[in-house]
Amino acid sequence: MRIFAIRWEWPQWWTSEGSETEIVWTCEEEMCWRTSEKVREVLRGDNSSLANDIRKEMKALNGKLLKAKDRNAKRDIRRELKSLSREERKRQQLAVTDVIKNADVVLTTLTGVLTKKLDGLSFDVVVIDEAAQALEIACWIALLKGSRCILAGDHLQLPPTIQSVEAEKKGLGKTLFERLADLYGDEIMSMLTVQYRMHELIMNWSSGELYENKIEAHSSVASHLLYHLGDVKISPSTEKALLLIDTTGCDMEEKKDEEDSTLNEGEAEVAIAHAKRLVESGVGASDIGLITPYAAQVVFLKTLKSNVDKLKEMEISTVDGFQGREKEAIIISMVRSNSKKEVGFLSDRRRMNVAVTRARRQCCLVCDTETVSGDKFLKGLIEYFEEHGEYLSASEYVNE
């Protein structure tokens, strides 16, 4: 199968002088795809060969320019180089067009479909990945390129980010995926029920709360734990899939930073302490993710981490930043701890669904259970961890 990948930013591409050919796309990130043999045949065609010949000629002229002494001779060489550069660019673009026309599959962003190189082209089917995070208006750019469409995604995870509150209230926040799911349900939906990431105890909470108990764990992951990893020792920190570290009664209340974001310094120290225990048991720091819903807590956690060399490779991020990601161990700092039992957007089922299901072998909740249990949904999460996991008091981590 011939596959071609395209981005919205117009590319620079080159043909190597060796036996293999690559297409290189240069934009915010550099991404390279080694082309299939059939695509290589296209790139060995007239336009690509001409572009390659022109580049060789330009290289020779640049050598002459360096040696030239006469001003008129230099002027003539520069004029010729300019002309060759225009022709080489034209041949590059034509060669890329040849590749697209001969490709069976084109990979692009939703806005990338607008590139002129796809003008006039249509496809048998359009597949939109992560459709539950895509704005409907962006989906329609791609939808118009085909007669059939497959939307792949999970509308029970985080929705697209909408900067305008007014726009969200008027419906922009509802995705095409979600709208079609509401309109037609099982008539058009097909659910993938076997997951290959999580220990079944991590999975079961999400499956029961959000997916009608339809999710199953593949046998290769159903019972895997941290101590099954090479060089990881069996310890109280590594032998459980679920851990609940309760800060209730430990004088670890939340507070606001200068930008009115919430943080909890005591809880952050406990989360870092558990991460240190994992590393001391042999878990790689790069295999640990520390997640929190609040930006201020992320900043404070990173400050604490900077003082611990062994945690240098541990990743700390918001829940939103971890969507689509996974780690062997996930530590969730829930932050909220107050007498009013206010939980803010922790009550967003989709956000907590994402947070918990990033974990492969262990999910550790660090929270004030009294505060977060004020929300019915979160109370169910706490009770599940208490029943199926290990319960610890944050006081056991103080001064570590």
Side-chain angles (χ1 to χ4, degrees):
M1 178 175 286
R2 291 157 288 175
I3 300 177
F4 189 69
I6 191 167
R7 293 275 297 197
W8 169 239
E9 296 83 357
W10 186 243
Q12 295 176 347
W13 67 278
W14 54 271
T15 304
S16 64
E17 295 182 359
S19 60
E20 294 182 320
T21 301
E22 292 180 344
I23 296 178
V24 177
W25 296 87
T26 304
C27 50
E28 294 178 2
E29 300 176 357
E30 184 179 61
M31 297 182 292
C32 304
W33 288 270
R34 190 166 303 281
T35 58
S36 67
E37 187 58 41
K38 289 186 178 180
V39 174
R40 290 185 189 131
E41 291 175 7
V42 175
L43 288 175
R44 295 190 190 107
D46 292 341
N47 287 311
S48 182
S49 297
L50 283 170
N52 196 35
D53 291 341
I54 292 170
R55 280 191 292 276
K56 290 178 180 178
E57 189 174 347
M58 291 171 67
K59 184 177 180 180
L61 282 173
N62 275 310
K64 289 182 180 180
L65 182 62
L66 291 173
K67 296 176 182 179
K69 303 295 183 182
D70 182 70
R71 181 179 296 177
N72 290 332
K74 286 185 175 181
R75 184 187 63 233
D76 291 341
I77 292 173
R78 291 193 187 98
R79 186 181 295 121
E80 188 172 357
L81 279 170
K82 189 175 182 180
S83 176
L84 287 172
S85 179
R86 285 195 298 266
E87 181 64 19
E88 189 257 357
R89 192 178 300 113
K90 175 183 175 183
R91 293 297 173 179
Q92 283 184 2
Q93 293 173 349
L94 289 172
V96 171
T97 300
D98 290 340
V99 174
I100 294 175
K101 287 181 178 179
N102 286 276
D104 294 318
V105 178
V106 174
L107 306 177
T108 175
T109 61
L110 291 174
T111 52
V113 179
L114 291 170
T115 178
K116 291 182 180 179
K117 293 302 172 185
L118 293 180
D119 283 352
L121 292 180
S122 60
F123 301 90
D124 297 325
V125 62
V126 172
V127 180
I128 301 177
D129 192 23
E130 293 292 353
Q133 266 206 307
L135 295 174
E136 177 168 346
I137 193 170
C139 289
W140 279 105
I141 301 172
L143 287 170
L144 296 176
K145 284 290 183 181
S147 57
R148 293 183 298 156
C149 179
I150 297 173
L151 301 178
D154 182 355
H155 61 300
L156 297 178
Q157 293 194 22
L158 291 174
T161 300
I162 310 297
Q163 298 292 343
S164 169
V165 175
E166 183 181 356
E168 186 168 12
K169 287 180 178 178
K170 291 183 177 180
L172 188 63
K174 191 165 188 177
T175 64
L176 178 64
F177 189 104
E178 189 175 2
R179 193 157 66 85
L180 291 175
D182 290 343
L183 284 172
Y184 301 105
D186 293 339
E187 292 180 37
I188 63 168
M189 294 178 67
S190 178
M191 184 176 179
L192 303 181
T193 58
V194 180
Q195 61 86 16
Y196 296 81
R197 172 188 295 163
M198 294 164 277
H199 188 287
E200 60 183 358
L201 286 178
I202 301 172
M203 173 204 74
N204 283 341
W205 169 76
S206 177
S207 179
E209 286 289 336
L210 298 163
Y211 300 102
E212 301 175 352
N213 288 311
K214 292 180 179 179
I215 308 298
E216 300 175 10
H218 189 265
S219 58
S220 62
V221 301
S223 58
H224 65 180
L225 294 163
L226 285 176
Y227 68 82
H228 294 148
L229 292 169
D231 300 324
V232 177
K233 298 177 293 185
I234 297 180
S235 71
S237 298
T238 63
E239 62 184 353
K240 296 291 185 179
L242 302 175
L243 277 176
L244 174 62
I245 303 176
D246 190 0
T247 66
T248 302
C250 294
D251 195 25
M252 297 179 183
E253 291 199 352
E254 66 186 63
K255 66 179 183 179
K256 297 287 186 179
D257 70 354
E258 295 176 355
E259 297 181 359
D260 206 37
S261 181
T262 309
L263 71 154
N264 188 318
E265 295 178 355
E267 185 174 295
E269 291 173 354
V270 171
I272 291 292
H274 180 65
K276 287 167 62 178
R277 286 189 182 185
L278 292 178
V279 172
E280 287 164 1
S281 296
V283 180
S286 61
D287 288 328
I288 304 171
L290 211 170
I291 300 177
T292 181
Y294 294 93
Q297 188 78 339
V298 169
V299 173
F300 188 72
L301 284 164
K302 287 183 176 179
T303 300
L304 294 179
K305 187 189 82 165
S306 66
N307 298 320
V308 186
D309 289 341
K310 64 180 72 175
L311 298 181
K312 184 178 180 180
E313 296 182 6
M314 180 180 71
E315 189 171 353
I316 299 173
S317 184
T318 60
V319 179
D320 302 57
F322 251 95
Q323 176 144 309
R325 310 276 309 288
E326 62 182 52
K327 291 287 185 178
E328 300 295 348
I330 288 291
I331 304 169
I332 304 172
S333 172
M334 297 178 73
V335 178
R336 303 310 298 263
S337 178
N338 57 77
S339 59
K340 296 180 180 179
K341 298 185 178 182
E342 295 176 347
V343 298
F345 58 65
L346 284 183
S347 60
D348 186 335
R349 300 159 64 92
R350 294 173 296 184
R351 181 166 274 103
M352 290 311 301
N353 182 31
V354 171
V356 172
T357 58
R358 298 311 92 199
R360 286 175 49 78
R361 299 168 188 263
Q362 183 185 97
C363 183
C364 173
L365 284 184
V366 186
C367 66
D368 179 336
T369 58
E370 186 175 345
T371 295
V372 300
S373 292
D375 177 84
K376 183 179 179 180
F377 174 71
L378 294 177
K379 183 179 180 181
L381 173 63
I382 297 303
E383 289 175 346
Y384 179 84
F385 270 66
E386 288 177 337
E387 180 180 355
H388 299 283
E390 183 77 12
Y391 175 91
L392 298 169
S393 170
S395 61
E396 298 179 43
Y397 288 84
V398 174
N399 299 323
E400 284 197 14

